[in-house]
Amino acid sequence: MRGRSKEEIVTARANGTLTHRERLIYRMATGLVLAVMVFSIVNFTFNDRFPFPNGREGAFVHLGFPAYFKIELTVAKILGVLALVIPAVPFKVKEFAYAGFAITLGSAAIAHFGRGDARNLSVLFVVDPLVFFCLLAASYYYFEKSHSLQAGARAGAVSDRQSAA
């Protein structure tokens, strides 16, 4: 068996941690999603031209959204990125960030599809958000798994202390 032995995996589970492979998948998926969110924040703020820098209209105008929606979405993405990056943020807040990013990515695919961007420009305008949605789902799966393992390890430690008393 390559990497960790079965004993190391069992020990990791007992300690309430992800295996090395799981941690790597979680970090890569989360990092890619956060990179896309930061890229979109920067792009919305400094270069809002659709679909190329010399385009005539902003992306939000192209998709039929009001101008204020760009500000709301940018602020929400900033808060979501901070929630996932800062370790001290409570679990429920992080879950809301995941939910917000899921809605954002799903809505982006729907908006571009509804506008006809897949037909008129490139199918990537619809597929791209869905790929990152899948990465977000993988990140959330391991985030949730890590949390449940830690909670199980804490509960086991409490019951061990209670039975020893």
Side-chain angles (χ1 to χ4, degrees):
M1 180 175 208
R2 191 169 184 233
R4 295 171 83 172
S5 70
K6 288 182 182 181
E7 291 173 9
E8 290 173 316
I9 292 171
V10 170
T11 303
R13 294 280 188 248
N15 292 336
T17 60
L18 296 174
T19 64
H20 177 71
R21 178 178 170 266
E22 291 170 333
R23 203 168 32 254
L24 183 66
I25 293 169
Y26 167 71
R27 288 181 178 165
M28 286 181 64
T30 306
L32 287 170
V33 169
L34 292 177
V36 165
M37 292 300 158
V38 169
F39 173 78
S40 70
I41 291 165
V42 171
N43 200 31
F44 291 166
T45 305
F46 299 111
N47 183 27
D48 185 26
R49 294 288 168 231
F50 187 83
F52 305 108
N54 61 354
R56 291 190 185 141
E57 60 187 7
F60 285 84
V61 172
H62 171 77
L63 294 172
F65 296 126
Y68 63 83
F69 184 64
K70 177 173 80 167
I71 297 166
E72 290 177 3
L73 189 59
T74 302
V75 170
K77 284 183 178 185
I78 291 168
L79 293 173
V81 167
L82 291 174
L84 294 184
V85 168
I86 299 171
V89 173
F91 176 78
K92 285 291 184 191
V93 175
K94 289 181 185 268
E95 280 192 323
F96 275 107
Y98 274 107
F101 286 159
I103 291 168
T104 298
L105 291 168
S107 297
I110 292 168
H112 284 289
F113 180 78
R115 184 71 171 110
D117 292 343
R119 186 175 3 93
N120 300 332
L121 295 171
S122 172
V123 73
L124 289 178
F125 284 102
V126 176
V127 173
D128 187 50
L130 297 177
V131 168
F132 288 105
F133 181 87
C134 291
L135 286 171
L136 181 74
S139 172
Y140 181 74
Y141 172 79
Y142 288 112
F143 166 74
E144 178 67 34
K145 187 174 185 177
S146 171
H147 181 70
S148 62
L149 286 172
Q150 290 171 358
R154 282 192 301 268
V158 168
S159 70
D160 288 345
R161 277 187 260 139
Q162 288 175 348
S163 62

